[in-house]
Amino acid sequence: MNTEKDFSPLTPNIVRALNDKLYEKRKVAALEIEKLVREFVAQNNSAQIRHVIQTLANEFALSLHPHSRKGGLIGLAACSIALGKDSGLYLKELIDPVLTCFNDSDSRLRYYACEALYNIVKVARGAVLPHFNVLFDGLSKLAADPDPNVKSGSELLDRLLKDIVTESNKFDLVAFVPLLRERIYSNNQYARQFIISWIHVLESVPDINLLDYLPEILDGLFQILGDSSKEIRRMCEVVLGEFLKEIKKNPSSVKFAEMANILVIHSNDLIQLTSMTWMREFIQLAGRVVLPYSSGILTAVLPCLSYDDRKKSTKEAASACNHSLMKLVTPEDDEDDEESQTKSSPPGDGTPSKKEGDLNGKIRISTGSLVYSVLCSSDRSAVTLDLDGIVQVLDRHLHDSSTGMMTRIAVLKWLYHLYIKTPRKMFKHTDSLFPMLLKTLSDESDEVILKDLEVLAEIASSPAGQTDTSGLCDNSDSKTVLHIPGGVRDGSFYLTGSKVTDLSPSTPSMNSYFYKFMINLLKRFSLERKLLEMRGAFIIRQLCLLLHAENIFHSMADILLKEEDLKFASTMVQTLNTILLTSAELFQLRNQLKDLHTQESCALFCCLYRSWCHNPVATVSLCFLTQNYRHAYDLIQKFGDLEVTVDFLMEVDKLVQLIESPIFTYLRLQLLDVEHNPYLIKALYGLLMLLPQSQAFQLLSHRLSCVPNPELMRTVEDPKAPVRDKRLAQPHIDYSELLQHFDRVQSKHLEVRHKRAGRFEHPDRKL
């Protein structure tokens, strides 16, 4: 520095000392400057004071020479001390050059700058608050300084500034929030620690309502919560915990709508528990305000439901979120927008409704591949359910093979709930959901299958599905659509193209999707024989509970009647017959068939019979169930013309076992009345003659040996006693036509078997 230059009112001795490399000499110069400035203060000579400050700033603090910069810093601090309470008049001139030195490459100089600013702030106290943003900006940089001395000095200054803010009621939070919002995204751990400490301080000041500005910094707080440092995460958790307490105390003043989306986009492992906890509280406190964000919330919540016990707390919080969110969906959400607007605005009012105004204030926020709606209005009643977004999320989780079992169950519960609460709107999505719901029947979990069946049953029986009878098999996977020739009337359904008309009075509650479901279910069984073998009976029994058992059997019999794969038809009839005869869920249907007293029950028998003809043994068992013993005997007589295979004899064996079961108790008791049930005995003897000398043969033979002598059982006869044979008692049934139908079906089966076998038939398969 040129010492010959005029630096008045600073004396040459002061100038030389300020430029000296020794700290002690610079300190002496600072004392002289302090004395000089005090004289100017006493004289009220503000011009000279300002001149001294400008000289120290421009000629020393901003000098290129490092020792001169150090001298300028200590000189500015001395000016501030001398000015005392009047330093507030010159703070900008005092602070700016010091803050510039915060960026110096020399760590010692940065330390002296920190020391100088500490002295300036200590003297000015509350007067520095108008300059808080520049001070905070400078401190945030020093907080990440690599030099420990500089960092230590900045911490002292930081504590001083916090004390000033805490004791003052003039802090300008509005001006500070933009800077805080910018700095909160720093990736430096020390800077993050600095930011969190300041938020904690501001949050604790009663006169400062930081909760109003939480939406602007919440995203940054959650990013800091994901920091790798445990200490920083702990500090952030404390701050977020305090905010959550305030939210619970004052929910009416909280801007839930502006923060809901922020919670959705933060779902990494480190912050999931906090995010779920906040989300749970938001849903419970804000209610329907969060509905526009349902798709995003579900995206975050659903995967957490499959966590194991290592993340038990997160799983429980996510479960609470899911349950609370589901309860927010009500039947009112099924109303069209026009209906909602009509209810929310008085008739004849030309002004837009409040809801319409709120929806006009909705903006879209894009996060990755998801787009969420953000409702800007604070009116909680004017919200709409984002049903399309919810269905998209649920469908995506169903398609994802990595989705956990509990998540899949939750997805299906959501679909069922939506079909119950908003059926009209949900049926617009049914065609896109239907193939995946059918595929889910192959899931490994019984509980998942049960929930899936509940959804499918609701789709098939909901009145909302009655209006959509067109395009029955549209939008379905071509591999999952059962082909049935159209224009054939059998039983109660008439198929014409893709439309199905339910002509049976016994199925009034089913809609067009019911028949579509039955068609596609049988097709899945046809394509996945393992599914039929392992879960077929389970699925059909559950459907009989969820829907009317008669509907299930009636429709499947109709479909199987025209099934082109005869082997599958025979296997399916055998499965249905076993379920009919053994399942507790079919008790009522068995009773209905046991006594063919009505025209409807006779029609049901005929419908089942025609399909049961695909399996001769099942047909006989159906006749036993319905007490058509003479017809059963006629059928068994025809077995001599059939190809008797090992599989056939195994089915006869199973039938004998069933005859000994509680289901056929009434049949065994009827053996006591020999005179009125001759065809029952003949039919049983016919089965006995079909069997080889096996355990089943011995079982049936022993049973028939117990049939009493009719002479011993004879009592006084009533000539008017009714005939027990159902064939003679039922004028609604043409048994000769049924026998002809049986012959036609068996001829088709024989023809198919011959085509498969060709000229060479395995000798072990025919007896």
Side-chain angles (χ1 to χ4, degrees):
M1 176 177 287
N2 184 7
T3 56
E4 301 298 327
K5 189 175 180 180
D6 183 19
F7 294 101
S8 59
L10 300 180
T11 65
N13 289 335
I14 293 176
V15 173
R16 279 194 299 271
L18 286 175
N19 288 309
D20 201 280
K21 65 180 181 179
L22 296 176
Y23 173 75
E24 293 299 329
K25 290 187 177 181
R26 295 197 300 271
K27 187 175 181 181
V28 171
L31 293 173
E32 291 296 325
I33 292 173
E34 182 181 343
K35 183 179 178 181
L36 181 63
V37 172
R38 287 185 188 276
E39 292 176 359
F40 291 145
V41 171
Q43 298 168 8
N44 199 22
N45 191 345
S46 59
Q48 284 290 70
I49 294 172
R50 202 172 299 278
H51 182 64
V52 170
I53 293 173
Q54 290 175 350
T55 301
L56 289 170
N58 298 329
E59 302 298 334
F60 292 88
L62 302 178
S63 171
L64 298 176
H65 195 278
H67 297 311
S68 298
R69 294 201 294 274
K70 294 174 185 176
L73 290 171
I74 198 171
L76 289 171
C79 288
S80 177
I81 294 171
L83 288 167
K85 62 179 182 180
D86 293 332
S87 62
L89 301 173
Y90 309 94
L91 275 178
K92 180 173 175 57
E93 292 90 338
L94 290 168
I95 289 174
D96 286 352
V98 177
L99 290 174
T100 301
C101 293
F102 278 8
N103 300 317
D104 200 284
S105 59
D106 185 354
S107 61
R108 291 294 298 169
L109 205 141
R110 294 197 301 275
Y111 175 79
Y112 286 130
C114 191
E115 184 182 51
L117 189 57
Y118 179 87
N119 288 321
I120 294 171
V121 172
K122 186 177 181 180
V123 172
R125 300 296 294 183
V128 301
L129 290 179
H131 307 277
F132 178 81
N133 278 17
V134 293
L135 295 175
F136 182 88
D137 183 53
L139 274 175
S140 65
K141 296 174 183 176
L142 291 185
D145 198 284
D147 188 271
N149 292 323
V150 176
K151 194 178 297 182
S152 176
S154 70
E155 289 173 358
L156 288 172
L157 177 58
D158 181 55
R159 283 198 292 271
L160 173 63
L161 202 55
K162 285 174 181 173
D163 290 340
I164 294 171
V165 170
T166 303
E167 67 190 20
S168 173
N169 58 0
K170 297 181 180 179
F171 182 74
D172 190 354
L173 185 61
V174 176
F176 172 61
V177 167
L179 178 62
L180 178 62
R181 185 176 60 237
E182 176 189 342
R183 288 287 184 266
I184 204 170
Y185 288 104
S186 172
N187 292 323
N188 184 279
Q189 290 188 345
Y190 295 108
R192 284 182 164 183
Q193 201 166 3
F194 171 78
I195 293 291
I196 288 293
S197 67
W198 266 102
I199 293 176
H200 193 207
V201 168
L202 294 175
E203 189 181 17
S204 65
V205 178
D207 294 333
I208 297 177
N209 188 11
L210 194 57
L211 188 61
D212 287 345
Y213 300 93
L214 183 57
E216 301 191 47
I217 61 173
L218 186 62
D219 179 59
L221 283 173
F222 271 95
Q223 290 204 20
I224 294 175
L225 188 62
D227 195 276
S228 58
S229 169
K230 289 184 179 180
E231 177 62 23
I232 293 176
R233 291 203 303 271
R234 187 195 63 78
M235 292 174 62
C236 194
E237 286 173 358
V238 170
V239 169
L240 286 169
E242 292 298 322
F243 273 124
L244 195 56
K245 288 180 183 177
E246 287 296 316
I247 289 172
K248 292 179 181 179
K249 289 179 183 177
N250 306 290
S252 59
S253 61
V254 178
K255 301 173 182 177
F256 289 106
E258 296 180 25
M259 291 187 285
N261 192 62
I262 297 172
L263 300 178
V264 165
I265 63 178
H266 291 288
S267 57
N268 67 58
D269 292 342
L270 290 174
I271 64 176
Q272 238 175 13
L273 176 57
T274 305
S275 178
M276 289 298 149
T277 303
W278 275 64
M279 210 174 290
R280 179 189 64 202
E281 298 298 334
F282 271 34
I283 295 171
Q284 293 175 354
L285 294 171
R288 289 179 59 84
V289 170
V290 301
L291 277 182
Y293 318 99
S294 300
S295 59
I297 293 173
L298 287 175
T299 300
V301 165
L302 289 174
C304 301
L305 300 178
S306 294
Y307 284 169
D308 54 27
D309 288 342
R310 289 174 295 179
K311 296 182 179 179
K312 185 177 180 181
S313 299
T314 304
K315 181 180 179 179
E316 290 176 350
S319 180
C321 287
N322 185 57
H323 181 68
S324 298
L325 186 63
M326 190 178 291
K327 290 198 298 185
L328 296 179
V329 182
T330 63
E332 286 73 21
D333 293 307
D334 203 28
E335 297 175 357
D336 295 330
D337 293 339
E338 293 79 5
E339 295 176 9
S340 300
Q341 285 188 4
T342 302
K343 289 185 178 182
S344 62
S345 60
D349 188 358
T351 60
S353 67
K354 191 164 189 177
K355 179 172 183 177
E356 183 180 350
D358 288 339
L359 293 177
N360 289 337
K362 185 184 289 187
I363 60 174
R364 306 284 283 180
I365 291 181
S366 177
T367 305
S369 60
L370 297 175
V371 179
Y372 308 113
S373 300
V374 177
L375 199 65
C376 297
S377 171
S378 60
D379 188 352
R380 300 188 178 192
S381 62
V383 292
T384 47
L385 179 69
D386 182 19
L387 188 62
D388 293 347
I390 292 176
V391 172
Q392 181 183 356
V393 171
L394 297 176
D395 188 46
R396 186 169 63 248
H397 279 87
L398 273 184
H399 276 84
D400 189 354
S401 59
S402 64
T403 301
M405 182 189 73
M406 297 307 298
T407 299
R408 298 176 78 82
I409 291 172
V411 167
L412 293 168
K413 284 182 177 179
W414 259 103
L415 288 172
Y416 181 77
H417 184 73
L418 291 173
Y419 272 109
I420 292 293
K421 299 297 182 181
T422 60
R424 286 198 307 167
K425 290 184 177 179
M426 276 302 295
F427 266 91
K428 298 175 183 177
H429 301 277
T430 300
D431 285 336
S432 62
L433 290 170
F434 206 72
M436 194 60 217
L437 290 171
L438 288 166
K439 186 177 179 181
T440 305
L441 291 174
S442 302
D443 197 275
E444 297 177 355
S445 166
D446 285 350
E447 196 171 352
V448 171
I449 294 175
L450 279 173
K451 294 301 176 185
D452 189 37
L453 289 172
E454 287 181 11
V455 177
L456 288 166
E458 182 60 30
I459 291 174
S461 60
S462 174
Q466 296 284 6
T467 57
D468 185 11
T469 57
S470 62
L472 188 61
C473 296
D474 294 348
N475 299 325
S476 295
D477 188 345
S478 60
K479 294 182 180 180
T480 62
V481 178
L482 185 65
H483 173 70
I484 298 178
V488 179
R489 186 183 187 276
D490 282 288
S492 65
F493 288 94
Y494 187 74
L495 289 156
T496 307
S498 62
K499 293 187 178 181
V500 177
T501 304
D502 186 354
L503 301 176
S504 171
S506 61
T507 57
S509 62
M510 299 299 105
N511 58 36
S512 59
Y513 280 96
F514 171 77
Y515 209 72
K516 177 182 179 181
F517 176 29
M518 294 297 104
I519 290 173
N520 285 275
L521 177 60
L522 288 175
K523 187 59 180 179
R524 289 210 75 84
F525 286 152
S526 176
L527 295 174
E528 297 183 40
R529 296 300 173 87
K530 187 176 180 181
L531 175 64
L532 175 59
E533 179 184 344
M534 302 299 293
R535 300 288 182 82
F538 171 73
I539 290 173
I540 294 171
R541 286 192 352 256
Q542 294 304 318
L543 283 175
C544 289
L545 290 175
L546 295 167
L547 302 168
H548 200 288
E550 182 182 348
N551 292 330
I552 303 299
F553 275 76
H554 209 310
S555 59
M556 285 190 172
D558 275 330
I559 298 167
L560 289 171
L561 185 62
K562 294 301 175 181
E563 170 59 46
E564 296 173 351
D565 185 347
L566 298 184
K567 185 176 180 181
F568 167 70
S570 177
T571 303
M572 194 67 222
V573 165
Q574 183 182 358
T575 301
L576 290 171
N577 187 64
T578 302
I579 296 170
L580 176 63
L581 294 178
T582 61
S583 299
E585 295 86 354
L586 277 296
F587 175 78
Q588 185 176 354
L589 185 61
R590 283 196 296 271
N591 284 342
Q592 183 179 347
L593 288 168
K594 191 183 298 183
D595 298 309
L596 302 178
H597 290 321
T598 64
Q599 186 173 354
E600 288 77 13
S601 60
C602 292
L604 176 61
F605 165 72
C606 292
C607 175
L608 297 180
Y609 181 95
R610 293 177 186 278
S611 289
W612 261 232
C613 286
H614 283 296
N615 189 296
V617 179
T619 311
V620 170
S621 64
L622 179 64
C623 291
F624 281 160
L625 176 66
T626 56
Q627 304 181 65
N628 283 292
Y629 301 135
R630 180 167 182 173
H631 193 70
Y633 171 71
D634 292 341
L635 286 173
I636 293 172
Q637 290 296 307
K638 292 180 175 291
F639 283 6
D641 300 328
L642 301 180
E643 185 177 19
V644 179
T645 64
V646 172
D647 292 337
F648 178 88
L649 291 176
M650 289 177 64
E651 290 181 35
V652 176
D653 190 297
K654 291 178 181 178
L655 176 56
V656 172
Q657 302 293 335
L658 280 172
I659 290 173
E660 294 297 320
S661 70
I663 297 295
F664 283 111
T665 300
Y666 67 91
L667 180 147
R668 298 195 300 274
L669 289 173
Q670 287 173 358
L671 291 174
L672 295 173
D673 193 358
V674 178
E675 290 190 1
H676 292 93
N677 294 291
Y679 288 103
L680 170 59
I681 298 173
K682 286 184 176 184
L684 293 177
Y685 270 109
L687 292 178
L688 186 67
M689 295 303 107
L690 286 171
L691 287 168
Q693 298 286 325
S694 62
Q695 184 178 359
F697 177 89
Q698 298 297 332
L699 189 66
L700 185 55
S701 176
H702 183 68
R703 172 63 64 184
L704 289 172
S705 67
C706 297
V707 175
N709 188 325
E711 295 297 328
L712 298 176
M713 301 297 291
R714 181 169 297 170
T715 59
V716 179
E717 296 185 6
D718 182 0
K720 297 181 180 180
V723 180
R724 300 284 182 89
D725 195 309
K726 295 292 180 179
R727 178 174 178 176
L728 301 177
Q730 296 301 333
H732 303 301
I733 301 175
D734 185 351
Y735 287 94
S736 61
E737 192 276 332
L738 292 179
L739 282 174
Q740 292 173 10
H741 177 78
F742 178 84
D743 290 338
R744 289 195 298 271
V745 173
Q746 289 306 311
S747 296
K748 290 182 181 179
H749 278 269
L750 185 62
E751 181 182 349
V752 170
R753 280 197 294 270
H754 284 172
K755 285 182 180 179
R756 288 177 179 171
R759 294 182 179 180
F760 302 99
E761 188 175 36
H762 198 287
D764 294 337
R765 299 302 294 173
K766 183 176 181 181
L767 299 179

